[in-house]
C-alpha cells in the first residue's frame, strides 16, 4: 500500500506549467503584434491620437500673355486687389454668417452685380438662419410630428420637406425686416457658401480699395478664413481686334465649365480656377495656365494650422508669340471696313452684304500673318450701325467661292489624264436636255488651259469634269456620267485644302458643305467644277493658294509661332521654350511641268485681259485667280426659312507674290455682295489694297 501511495503524483504542477506556457505564448503573440503595429502603423496611429490632418492647397499663378510676331503685347494681365475666403475648418452656416457679417462692416459689395444675384429663396433661407426661434414657430409641433411620421424611414426626405414648408411660410413682411447690413452680409455669405473646403474662393475682386485691404489685414483675427490677395484681369491692347480669335477666359465666379468639370478636375484644377473658354485661350490652356504653387498645411485636433510646407513653388504660365503682325492686321482691317461700307452704301442690290474676310499667309511655313474679318451689324442698345470683329468667320463660315477653284480643277484634269498642259477645248454655250443653258461670261471659242484660267472659262472646266465622269456631251442631249467623278474631283480638291479642315491651331474649324450626288442632275458636276456646288472657308482658300504657290505642299496654317517663358523684364520676351515648326500635311503627286503651267495661267490672270487685271503693273509681280459664284443667301436677314432663299453673288480672290519666288499668299472672300445682274467687285479692291499695303510696310521696315 505504501509503495502505491508513493508512486502516485500530484497533477497540479503539470496543469500550472501548461497554463504558464499558454500565457507565455499569448504574451509573446501580443508583444509581436504590438511591435508590428508600432512599426507598421505607428505613425498613422500617432497622427490619429494627435488628430493631425494634412491639407494640400493649390494657389493660382498669373496666366501667360500673348504677343504678336514683332513682340508687341496683344493680351496681358492687369493686377487688382481681391478678397478671398477659405473654409479651413468646415465651419457651420452660423459661424460663416458671423464672419460674413464682420466682413460686411468693412467692405461694400457691388450692388449692380452681387446684390442683384440674391434670390427670394436666398433671402428666406437667410431670414431662417438669423431668426431660428421665430422660424421654428412657423411649423407647429403637431404638424412637424405628422411630417416625421410621413417620412419616418427617410430622414433626408423629411428634412427636405420640412425646409420647403418652412420657406413657404416666410412672408414678405418677414423679408422686409432684413436690413441693408443683412443684405450685404447675405451677398458675402452666398460667396462663402459657393466655395469648396480648403480652396480659396474670391469674394470680391472688383473695386476693392487699398483702404479695404488695410482694414481687413488689421482685423484678420476677427475674420477666420478671410484673406487679401492680388488677382488679375485680361487686358486687350488692341481692343476688339482679333478678339473672336483670341477667345475668352472664365471669371473666378464661373470657374471651370460645368460640362467639362470631370476633365479639369482630373488635371488638378479647382472648380473656381479661371480657364480658357474659347479659341486660342482654350486651345493653348495647358501652355498659358502655368504651374500652381502647392502648399501643405498641417492641422491639429482643434482644426488649427500648426505647420505648413511648400511642396512646389509653381510658375507663371508661358507666353504665346503669334504669327500675326498686328500692324499689318490693323491696316487690313481698316481696308476691309472701308471697302465694305463703300460697297454696301454705294451700290444697288447690296442689302444682304454684311461681311468680308482676308487671310495673309506665308506659303512655305503656314504662318498666318493676318486673319481679318469684319461684319456690319447693329448695336443692341443704340440701334446704330457698327462694325464688329469677325476674324473667326475665316474658319467657322463657308461659302460657294466660284472660279478660284479652277486652278485645282485644271490640275485634277491633268491627274485624271483627260487633259494635259496646252489642251484645247471649245468654249460655247452648253445645254443638257432638261437643264438650263450653261456658259462662260462670254463665248471664247477654241481655248487652251492657260486662256481658260486667264479668262475664267466655265465651259472648259465643265467639259473637263464630264470627261473625268466618262460622259459624252452633245448639245440638247441627255448626259450620263460615272458618279465616281464626284469623289475623284473632291478628293483631288482636298489635297489642296478645299473641302477639308486645314488643321489650323484653333478649335471648331468647319470643313464646309458638300452638295448631294444626284444621278438625275448631271449638271451638278459641272457646277462643282467651277466652285458653285460645294462650300469652302476662306482659310481653306488660303491653304489652297499656298499649296500652289509653294509648288505642291499642303502646309498646316498656324497662329502660334513660339512658346516662351515669362520674362522678368518689362517689354522683353522670355527665353524660347518651343519654336513651332512647319507641318506638311500632304504633297501633291504631279508630273514635271504641271504646276508650272498653273503658275503661268495665274500670272496671266493678273495681267491686261485677265479677270484680275486691276493688279496689272504691280511692282510685286502677283499671280492668282478671281472668283464669282451664283449662290443662295442664308444669312441673318433671311426671314422665311421655308421659302426659297434669295439669289446672291459671292466674290473671292486668291493670289500670291512675287510670282517667281512667293513670300506671301492671300485669300479674300466677300459673300452675298449683290442681287442684281451685275455689281461691284470688292474682292479686287480689297485684295489690291491689302497686297499693296503688305509690300509698302515691308519696304518701310527694310528702310529702317
Amino acid at each position: 500500500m505504501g509503495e502505491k501511495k508513493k508512486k502516485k503524483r500530484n497533477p497540479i504542477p503539470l496543469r500550472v506549467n501548461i497554463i504558464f506556457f499558454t500565457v507565455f505564448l499569448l504574451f509573446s503573440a501580443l508583444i509581436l503584434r504590438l511591435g508590428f503595429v508600432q512599426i507598421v502603423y505607428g505613425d498613422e496611429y500617432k497622427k490619429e491620437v494627435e488628430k493631425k490632418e494634412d491639407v494640400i492647397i493649390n494657389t493660382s499663378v498669373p496666366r501667360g500673355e500673348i504677343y504678336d510676331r514683332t513682340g508687341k503685347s496683344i493680351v496681358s494681365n492687369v493686377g487688382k486687389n481681391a478678397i478671398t475666403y477659405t473654409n479651413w475648418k468646415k465651419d457651420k452656416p452660423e459661424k460663416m454668417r458671423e464672419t460674413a457679417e464682420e466682413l460686411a462692416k468693412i467692405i461694400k459689395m457691388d450692388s449692380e452685380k452681387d446684390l442683384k444675384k440674391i434670390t427670394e429663396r436666398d433671402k428666406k433661407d437667410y431670414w431662417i438662419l438669423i431668426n431660428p426661434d421665430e422660424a421654428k414657430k412657423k411649423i407647429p409641433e403637431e404638424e412637424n410630428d405628422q411630417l416625421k411620421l410621413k417620412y419616418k424611414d427617410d430622414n433626408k426626405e423629411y428634412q427636405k420637406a420640412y425646409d420647403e414648408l418652412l420657406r413657404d411660410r416666410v412672408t414678405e413682411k418677414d423679408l422686409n425686416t432684413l436690413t441693408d447690413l443683412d443684405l450685404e452680409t447675405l451677398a458675402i455669405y452666398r460667396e462663402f457658401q459657393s466655395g469648396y473646403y480648403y480652396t480659396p474662393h474670391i469674394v470680391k475682386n472688383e473695386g476693392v480699395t487699398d483702404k479695404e485691404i488695410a482694414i481687413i489685414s488689421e482685423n484678420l483675427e476677427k475674420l477666420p478664413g478671410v484673406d487679401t490677395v492680388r488677382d488679375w484681369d485680361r487686358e486687350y491692347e488692341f481692343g476688339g481686334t482679333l478678339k473672336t480669335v483670341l477667345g475668352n477666359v472664365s471669371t473666378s465666379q464661373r470657374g471651370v465649365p460645368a460640362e467639362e468639370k470631370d476633365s479639369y478636375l482630373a488635371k488638378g484644377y479647382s472648380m473656381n480656377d479661371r480657364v480658357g473658354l474659347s479659341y486660342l485661350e482654350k486651345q493653348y490652356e495647358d501652355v498659358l495656365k502655368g504651374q500652381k504653387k502647392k502648399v501643405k498645411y498641417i492641422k491639429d485636433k482643434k482644426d488649427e494650422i500648426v505647420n505648413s510646407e511648400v511642396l512646389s513653388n509653381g510658375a507663371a504660365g508661358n507666353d504665346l508669340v503669334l504669327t500675326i503682325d498686328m500692324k499689318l492686321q490693323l491696316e487690313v482691317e481698316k481696308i476691309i471696313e472701308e471697302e465694305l461700307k463703300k460697297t454696301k452704301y454705294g451700290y444697288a442690290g447690296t442689302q444682304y452684304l454684311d461681311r468680308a474676310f482676308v487671310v495673309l499667309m506665308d506659303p512655305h511655313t503656314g504662318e498666318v500673318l493676318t486673319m481679318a474679318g469684319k461684319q456690319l451689324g447693329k448695336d443692341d442698345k443704340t440701334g446704330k450701325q457698327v462694325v464688329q470683329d469677325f476674324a473667326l468667320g475665316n474658319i467657322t463660315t463657308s461659302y460657294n467661292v466660284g472660279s478660284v477653284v479652277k486652278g485645282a480643277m485644271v490640275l485634277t484634269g491633268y491627274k485624271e489624264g483627260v487633259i494635259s498642259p496646252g489642251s484645247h477645248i471649245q468654249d460655247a454655250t452648253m445645254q443638257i436636255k432638261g437643264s438650263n443653258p450653261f456658259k462662260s461670261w462670254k463665248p471664247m471659242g477654241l481655248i487652251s488651259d492657260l486662256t481658260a484660267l486667264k479668262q475664267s472659262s466655265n465651259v472648259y472646266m465643265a467639259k473637263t469634269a464630264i470627261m473625268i465622269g466618262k460622259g459624252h456631251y452633245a448639245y440638247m442631249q441627255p448626259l450620263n456620267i460615272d458618279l465616281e467623278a464626284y469623289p475623284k474631283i473632291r478628293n483631288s480638291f482636298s489635297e489642296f485644302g478645299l473641302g477639308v479642315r486645314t488643321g489650323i491651331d484653333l478649335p471648331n474649324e468647319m470643313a464646309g458643305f458638300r452638295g448631294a450626288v444626284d444621278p438625275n442632275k448631271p449638271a451638278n458636276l459641272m457646277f462643282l467644277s467651277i466652285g458653285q456646288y460645294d462650300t469652302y472657308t476662306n482659310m481653306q482658300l488660303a491653304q489652297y493658294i499656298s499649296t500652289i504657290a509653294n509648288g505642291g505642299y499642303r502646309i498646316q496654317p498656324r497662329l502660334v509661332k513660339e512658346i516662351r517663358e515669362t520674362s522678368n523684364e518689362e517689354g522683353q520676351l522670355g527665353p524660347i521654350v518651343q519654336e513651332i515648326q512647319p507641318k506638311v500635311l500632304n504633297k501633291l503627286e504631279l508630273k514635271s511641268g504641271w504646276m508650272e503651267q498653273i503658275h503661268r495661267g495665274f500670272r496671266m490672270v493678273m495681267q491686261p485681259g485677265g479677270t484680275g487685271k486691276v493688279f496689272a503693273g504691280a511692282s510685286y509681280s502677283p499671280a492668282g485667280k478671281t472668283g464669282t459664284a451664283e449662290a443662295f443667301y442664308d444669312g441673318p436677314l433671311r426671314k422665311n426659312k421655308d421659302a426659297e432663299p434669295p439669289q446672291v453673288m459671292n466674290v473671292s480672290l486668291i493670289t500670291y507674290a512675287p510670282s517667281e519666288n512667293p513670300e506671301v499668299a492671300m485669300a479674300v472672300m466677300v459673300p452675298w455682295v449683290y442681287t442684281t445682274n451685275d455689281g461691284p467687285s470688292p474682292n479686287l479692291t480689297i485684295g489690291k489694297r491689302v497686297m499693296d499695303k503688305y509690300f509698302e510696310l515691308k519696304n518701310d521696315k527694310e528702310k529702317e
Side-chain angles (χ1 to χ4, degrees):
M1 273 305 278
E3 285 183 12
K4 288 182 181 179
K5 284 182 181 179
K6 199 172 182 180
K7 289 180 180 179
K8 187 175 181 182
R9 293 181 181 181
N10 189 347
I12 293 175
L14 180 60
R15 292 173 183 170
V16 170
N17 287 337
I18 292 172
I19 291 171
F20 281 155
F21 184 69
T22 303
V23 170
F24 170 76
L25 290 176
L26 290 173
F27 268 105
S28 297
L30 180 61
I31 290 168
L32 288 172
R33 180 60 182 168
L34 287 172
F36 175 79
V37 169
Q38 177 68 23
I39 294 167
V40 178
Y41 297 109
D43 290 341
E44 189 174 324
Y45 285 122
K46 183 180 179 182
K47 190 174 180 181
E48 183 66 26
V49 169
E50 293 175 353
K51 284 290 183 182
K52 285 188 177 180
E53 180 182 5
D54 293 347
V55 178
I56 296 176
I57 300 297
N58 295 325
T59 305
S60 295
V61 294
R63 193 171 179 83
E65 301 186 350
I66 302 176
Y67 298 85
D68 87 334
R69 68 186 296 115
T70 67
K72 291 189 186 76
S73 175
I74 300 176
V75 185
S76 59
N77 298 322
V78 178
K80 59 182 182 178
N81 293 331
I83 300 166
T84 65
Y85 174 75
T86 308
N87 194 346
W88 292 104
K89 299 183 179 182
K90 299 185 179 180
D91 288 331
K92 292 183 178 179
E94 179 54 34
K95 181 63 177 176
M96 294 170 69
R97 190 206 67 78
E98 290 173 4
T99 304
E101 185 174 351
E102 287 298 322
L103 186 58
K105 294 173 183 176
I106 300 173
I107 69 172
K108 191 162 186 65
M109 298 297 279
D110 187 338
S111 58
E112 287 297 317
K113 188 170 67 173
D114 300 299
L115 297 182
K116 285 186 177 180
K117 289 180 185 175
I118 298 173
T119 64
E120 185 173 322
R121 177 178 175 136
D122 291 331
K123 292 180 181 179
K124 288 182 176 183
D125 286 342
Y126 190 71
W127 184 90
I128 293 167
L129 180 65
I130 64 176
N131 298 284
D133 295 334
E134 290 182 53
K136 192 175 181 181
K137 296 175 185 177
K138 298 272 184 186
I139 302 178
E141 273 191 44
E142 304 100 26
E143 194 172 358
N144 190 22
D145 289 341
Q146 290 175 3
L147 265 182
K148 287 180 178 178
L149 186 63
K150 181 177 179 180
Y151 297 102
K152 62 181 179 180
D153 296 326
D154 195 334
N155 188 60
K156 190 175 180 180
E157 284 300 314
Y158 154 72
Q159 193 61 52
K160 182 179 177 182
Y162 180 88
D163 291 343
E164 286 297 327
L165 184 60
L166 187 52
R167 283 192 198 98
D168 289 342
R169 294 189 179 175
V170 176
T171 65
E172 191 69 29
K173 184 179 178 181
D174 294 328
L175 296 182
N176 288 336
T177 64
L178 295 175
T179 65
D180 289 343
L181 178 60
D182 287 331
L183 294 177
E184 286 278 348
T185 303
L186 173 54
I188 296 171
Y189 176 71
R190 285 180 78 256
E191 291 297 337
F192 283 8
Q193 284 195 312
S194 63
Y196 295 85
Y197 294 136
Y198 310 133
T199 302
H201 176 77
I202 289 181
V203 177
K204 182 182 179 183
N205 62 356
E206 297 293 340
V208 179
T209 66
D210 291 339
K211 183 179 179 181
E212 288 176 331
I213 294 292
I215 296 173
I216 290 171
S217 299
E218 291 171 2
N219 293 275
L220 287 178
E221 71 281 355
K222 298 179 185 177
L223 302 166
V226 175
D227 200 1
T228 58
V229 298
R230 289 290 287 172
D231 194 20
W232 51 268
D233 268 339
R234 285 306 233 185
E235 182 170 78
Y236 300 89
E237 310 294 340
F238 295 90
T241 300
L242 271 182
K243 187 67 174 64
T244 55
V245 171
L246 295 170
N248 294 307
V249 177
S250 66
T251 62
S252 55
Q253 284 75 24
R254 177 177 177 180
V256 303
E259 63 275 13
E260 299 177 76
K261 179 185 72 172
D262 293 341
S263 172
Y264 278 108
L265 292 180
K267 294 177 183 177
Y269 283 78
S270 300
M271 283 299 292
N272 61 346
D273 280 346
R274 301 175 68 178
V275 298
L277 295 176
S278 56
Y279 298 101
L280 273 178
E281 292 277 15
K282 183 172 184 177
Q283 183 79 11
Y284 288 92
E285 169 65 23
D286 290 344
V287 173
L288 293 166
K289 69 174 182 177
Q291 298 297 320
K292 291 182 176 182
K293 180 179 180 180
K294 290 186 178 182
V295 181
K296 180 171 73 174
Y297 292 93
I298 302 169
K299 299 170 67 179
D300 63 14
K301 60 185 177 181
K302 295 180 181 179
D303 253 354
E304 299 292 341
I305 295 173
V306 295
N307 201 0
S308 65
E309 177 187 348
V310 176
L311 299 180
S312 63
N313 285 316
N318 287 327
D319 297 334
L320 298 181
V321 177
L322 303 188
T323 60
I324 298 288
D325 182 328
M326 286 305 290
K327 187 173 184 179
L328 178 62
Q329 176 80 23
L330 292 171
E331 292 287 355
V332 172
E333 290 191 0
K334 180 182 176 184
I335 291 168
I336 294 175
E337 184 173 336
E338 289 174 355
E339 293 298 330
L340 195 54
K341 288 179 177 178
K342 187 189 299 182
T343 307
K344 175 78 173 178
Y345 305 120
Y347 294 86
T350 57
Q351 65 270 29
Y352 297 120
L353 172 63
D354 74 340
R355 63 193 67 186
F357 307 100
V358 173
V359 171
L360 287 168
M361 192 158 78
D362 183 327
H364 302 286
T365 66
E367 293 183 1
V368 177
L369 308 176
T370 292
M371 180 175 172
K374 290 293 180 181
Q375 183 175 16
L376 299 174
K378 285 187 178 180
D379 187 283
D380 293 335
K381 294 180 179 178
T382 64
K384 291 183 179 179
Q385 192 85 44
V386 292
V387 181
Q388 301 163 329
D389 177 66
F390 196 25
L392 203 56
N394 282 287
I395 67 165
T396 60
T397 61
S398 64
Y399 310 93
N400 297 118
V401 298
S403 300
V404 289
V405 307
K406 289 176 180 175
M409 189 63 220
V410 170
L411 277 167
T412 303
Y414 295 165
K415 288 196 294 180
E416 293 298 321
V418 298
I419 60 172
S420 58
S423 290
H424 285 69
I425 292 176
Q426 186 73 30
D427 183 312
T429 299
M430 302 172 67
Q431 189 163 7
I432 300 169
K433 186 176 181 180
S435 299
N436 294 323
F438 183 96
K439 58 184 179 180
S440 302
W441 62 280
K442 70 173 184 177
M444 300 180 191
L446 187 64
I447 57 172
S448 69
D449 49 352
L450 293 178
T451 304
L453 291 173
K454 178 180 180 178
Q455 295 281 313
S456 199
S457 168
N458 290 341
V459 172
Y460 194 102
M461 307 303 152
K463 288 185 175 179
T464 299
I466 290 171
M467 287 188 283
I468 292 173
K470 301 174 183 177
H472 177 72
Y473 167 75
Y475 187 74
M476 289 300 292
Q477 296 299 311
L479 176 64
N480 293 315
I481 57 170
D482 182 351
L483 297 182
E484 283 300 307
Y486 283 92
K488 283 181 180 178
I489 293 173
R490 284 170 171 160
N491 290 340
S492 177
F493 279 17
S494 70
E495 292 179 357
F496 295 88
L498 295 172
V500 291
R501 293 181 178 85
T502 65
I504 190 170
D505 49 347
L506 286 173
N508 303 328
E509 181 188 12
M510 77 176 305
F513 298 99
R514 292 184 171 185
V517 177
D518 189 340
N520 299 315
K521 295 182 178 180
N524 288 344
L525 184 68
M526 298 158 68
F527 287 109
L528 174 64
S529 73
I530 61 171
Q532 296 193 36
Y533 200 54
D534 291 356
T535 66
Y536 313 108
T537 68
N538 197 47
M539 188 59 70
Q540 289 174 10
L541 294 186
Q543 189 178 59
Y544 157 49
I545 188 59
S546 292
T547 303
I548 289 178
N550 67 34
Y553 296 87
R554 184 165 78 98
I555 305 289
Q556 178 179 331
R558 54 193 169 88
L559 285 167
V560 174
K561 181 179 176 67
E562 298 165 347
I563 297 171
R564 289 179 175 259
E565 292 180 13
T566 297
S567 174
N568 294 324
E569 297 182 29
E570 189 173 345
Q572 297 292 322
L573 294 175
I576 291 180
V577 175
Q578 182 183 359
E579 189 171 1
I580 311 300
Q581 298 300 318
K583 183 176 181 180
V584 177
L585 300 178
N586 61 265
K587 182 181 182 298
L588 301 182
E589 296 298 326
L590 305 174
K591 289 185 178 179
S592 176
W594 286 1
M595 187 62 82
E596 290 75 11
Q597 185 78 339
I598 301 302
H599 288 170
R600 290 188 199 98
F602 275 20
R603 285 197 297 273
M604 292 168 65
V605 168
M606 300 302 197
Q607 294 168 359
T611 56
K613 58 183 179 291
V614 295
F615 284 87
S619 60
Y620 43 82
S621 181
K625 186 73 189 75
T626 63
T628 304
E630 295 180 11
F632 292 100
Y633 176 76
D634 196 26
L637 296 180
R638 186 180 171 196
K639 295 176 182 177
N640 186 354
K641 300 291 183 181
D642 296 325
E644 184 174 317
Q647 283 195 324
V648 288
M649 299 297 286
N650 299 340
V651 295
S652 59
L653 171 70
I654 54 173
T655 184
Y656 56 88
S659 58
E660 294 302 323
N661 186 22
E663 65 178 68
V664 63
M666 178 177 67
V668 180
M669 184 68 221
V670 191
W672 315 329
V673 180
Y674 55 90
T675 58
T676 50
N677 292 330
D678 195 14
S681 300
N683 55 328
L684 297 179
T685 53
I686 290 173
K688 178 65 163 58
R689 288 185 62 187
V690 167
M691 198 61 93
D692 288 350
K693 181 58 67 175
Y694 170 85
F695 283 99
E696 177 190 323
L697 293 177
K698 180 192 172 187
N699 292 335
D700 290 345
K701 190 174 181 180
E702 289 174 350
K703 291 175 184 177
E704 292 177 359

